[in-house]
Amino acid sequence: MDILMKGVKIILYIICVFQMNYASAQYGKEGQELLCRFERRFSELDSLIYSVQRNLSGTQGGLCPAAVRFSSEPDSGLFSALDKRVDAEIKAFKSRTGLQITGQTHYRLDDGLGMDEDDAQSRYNGKVQAELRWSVLQSSLFKRKGKINEIRIKGEIDRLAYEKDRLGMSVIRQKEYFRQQHDSLLCGILRHRIDNLSLLGAAHDYLLRNENISSDELLSILNEKAEAERKLMSVVNRYPLSPDLSCPVIHIVRIDTARLLQHVRDKQVELKALDLRMSLLAQQESNTGYWNKVDVAPFVRYSYYTRTALPHSSNVDAGVSFKLPISTESKRERQSIRAERELLAKEQDHFLTQVYDEVHFILDDIERLNLSITGEHQRSKELRDYLMKRKEAYSNRIGEYSRLARMKEYNSYLMCLEKMIEYQYQRDCQIANLTRYLTDEPIVRFCYEEKIMN
């Protein structure tokens, strides 16, 4: 039975091998032209696949240049304006002297009505009064350091909000750079595969018109070509054919997980913002107290009286004015601030757990994509070696062979390169996603590369 099956396979292979040859002999020029086009294409592909220039491999390790290029330096102008605003608020606070001048003037309307109960010595018909009052507890001298620190913490929170927006744009720019790199590589290889599929389609159309094969294979080729063209159309820019199709040297990117997670805990923007908000609440709790509602103000008052029967007179008074609220409002405010700070502590723990989970998911995905890249690289090496052996076999052949099958072998190799480029793009985007959890360090500080040679 095994011998019979082998015999059937050999017969089917012989039929396939001589299809093109038979059609060429029967229909002359068109078949001969197709054969020549196949041979030229095979020669061109061999020169690109076994090239020693390695242009394709030279662009594969683009992670570090991109990460350095798009580390996104802070906007010095924006932060300088923020610092000026904080300094202005501090100066405005320090300018609170607590001093105020009040005054009044009035005329007594009952002078001519005989309703004045004052004696003749104290009776007056007009009064002008001015007072200088110093509210000590409402000046910048009261809890000065604490309130200045509160202003600075609010400024740092605003700075982190700008930092978060900057990091978001940094990730977008990095991914855009990786996308352009991915598109340039993918477009160069896709165009080669589409050219191969066009030639395969022309050959199958020729054989179909001459009733040598069924249309099933042609439909499969047209569908594959349409899919490749749709993928090519999704590339915004147009890139030339790749000048090198040799199996590239790739880089496996490893992440120093322990150091990265520690840095995330110390420097992650949201966590730092939560730390600052807790510090702000602690400072506000310290700044809040009963004395904030108390008003103690020494004063000096000058009064001038105008009289009709007696000479005008004046006097100067000095004293202390005070206002003491009878309530537990300040105590309740401190309790409210303390409860909010405890809530933030719980929120911080929850957010830290969430961040750790997200980072671990990204790291796991990076490792999975590294394995996929390694697998496709190994497959591309095996296919490249296979194509070399087939090339030698075709060179040493006697008679004709199936050029259609040989072209599909080249396309299998090109599809392997496409897959590898896709996996590298996905991995680099995941590494860019880690930038969202960093503030003052580029992600490359936590990465190291392992080069995989051919």
Side-chain angles (χ1 to χ4, degrees), residues 3 58 67 72 105 136 164 169 174 187 279 282 330 347 368 401:
I3 296 175
S72 184
T105 179
V136 183
K164 181 180 177 181
M169 286 305 302
Q174 282 189 358
C187 185
S279 298
S330 299
E347 182 180 340
R368 179 183 62 80
Y401 67 97

Side-chain angles (χ1 to χ4, degrees), residues 310-327:
L310 296 172
H312 301 329
S313 67
S314 64
N315 64 282
V316 177
D317 300 320
V320 177
S321 172
F322 59 88
K323 180 179 68 176
L324 304 176
I326 303 175
S327 70

Side-chain angles (χ1 to χ4, degrees), residues 168-199:
M169 286 305 302
S170 174
V171 174
I172 293 173
R173 291 192 183 100
Q174 282 189 358
K175 287 186 176 181
E176 176 61 19
Y177 177 82
F178 292 144
R179 188 190 62 78
Q180 292 178 5
Q181 185 185 48
H182 159 267
D183 287 352
S184 66
L185 297 175
L186 185 64
C187 185
I189 297 174
L190 267 177
R191 293 181 61 185
H192 280 294
R193 186 157 69 90
I194 290 173
D195 289 346
N196 292 350
L197 290 169
S198 297
L199 185 53

Side-chain angles (χ1 to χ4, degrees), residues 203-443:
H204 275 274
D205 180 66
Y206 171 80
L207 293 175
L208 179 62
R209 283 187 285 107
N210 292 283
E211 300 179 356
N212 288 306
I213 61 171
S214 69
S215 61
D216 295 344
E217 188 67 20
L218 178 59
L219 179 60
S220 176
I221 290 173
L222 291 177
N223 287 335
E224 183 181 346
K225 182 184 176 186
E227 184 63 32
E229 288 175 339
R230 278 194 293 269
K231 188 181 293 187
L232 184 63
M233 288 296 293
S234 66
V235 177
V236 177
N237 298 319
R238 287 293 169 262
Y239 299 94
L241 289 166
S242 176
D244 183 4
L245 297 176
S246 59
C247 185
V249 177
I250 66 170
H251 297 80
I252 300 302
V253 181
R254 308 292 184 188
I255 310 293
D256 189 340
T257 304
R259 194 159 62 92
L260 175 65
L261 290 176
Q262 182 59 44
H263 191 82
V264 167
R265 175 63 187 88
D266 296 336
K267 302 293 185 179
Q268 203 274 334
V269 174
E270 293 288 352
L271 290 171
K272 286 180 67 177
L274 286 171
D275 281 336
L276 285 174
R277 287 171 60 189
M278 292 174 64
S279 298
L280 176 62
L281 289 173
Q283 187 62 66
Q284 288 176 340
E285 182 183 357
S286 175
N287 292 342
T288 301
Y290 178 78
W291 289 100
N292 292 78
K293 308 295 182 180
V294 172
D295 185 15
V296 177
F299 66 88
V300 176
R301 183 187 303 127
Y302 172 78
S303 302
Y304 182 80
Y305 303 92
T306 61
R307 296 184 288 188
T308 55
L310 296 172
H312 301 329
S313 67
S314 64
N315 64 282
V316 177
D317 300 320
V320 177
S321 172
F322 59 88
K323 180 179 68 176
L324 304 176
I326 303 175
S327 70
T328 59
E329 181 183 358
S330 299
K331 178 181 179 181
R332 301 305 179 191
E333 287 179 355
R334 287 198 303 272
Q335 290 175 347
S336 175
I337 293 174
R338 194 176 304 118
E340 185 176 355
R341 193 173 60 175
E342 292 173 357
L343 177 61
L344 278 183
K346 298 296 183 182
E347 182 180 340
Q348 186 180 47
D349 292 339
H350 173 74
F351 184 77
L352 180 60
T353 302
Q354 180 181 338
V355 167
Y356 276 8
D357 288 342
E358 290 176 0
V359 172
H360 277 298
F361 289 148
I362 293 175
L363 293 174
D364 291 343
D365 203 28
I366 291 172
E367 185 60 28
R368 179 183 62 80
L369 290 167
N370 277 334
L371 293 175
S372 299
I373 294 168
T374 305
E376 288 299 322
H377 180 262
Q378 182 62 32
R379 181 167 171 255
S380 68
K381 285 173 57 181
E382 293 171 355
L383 285 172
R384 187 167 177 265
D385 294 340
Y386 170 80
L387 290 175
M388 175 61 76
K389 294 175 182 177
R390 297 289 283 173
K391 176 186 176 184
E392 294 175 357
Y394 293 139
S395 299
N396 299 327
R397 75 187 186 281
I398 298 176
E400 292 298 328
Y401 67 97
S402 175
R403 291 167 177 80
L404 304 179
R406 184 178 181 185
M407 185 62 76
K408 291 178 183 178
E409 293 169 356
Y410 283 107
N411 274 358
S412 295
Y413 175 76
L414 294 179
M415 290 176 69
C416 182
L417 294 184
E418 291 173 24
K419 268 293 187 184
M420 186 161 55
I421 291 171
E422 289 282 355
Y423 288 140
Q424 287 188 345
Y425 171 63
Q426 294 174 21
R427 180 201 61 193
D428 291 348
C429 285
Q430 287 290 55
I431 293 175
N433 284 334
L434 291 175
T435 306
R436 293 188 294 114
Y437 303 99
L438 304 176
T439 304
D440 55 348
E441 293 285 348
I443 186 60

Side-chain angles (χ1 to χ4, degrees), residues 18 144 304:
F18 284 100
R144 183 186 186 91
Y304 182 80

Side-chain angles (χ1 to χ4, degrees), residues 81-99:
L82 183 60
D83 291 338
K84 289 180 179 179
R85 192 202 72 183
V86 171
D87 290 340
E89 289 179 355
I90 292 175
K91 289 179 180 178
F93 169 74
K94 288 181 177 180
S95 66
R96 297 180 185 176
T97 61
L99 293 171

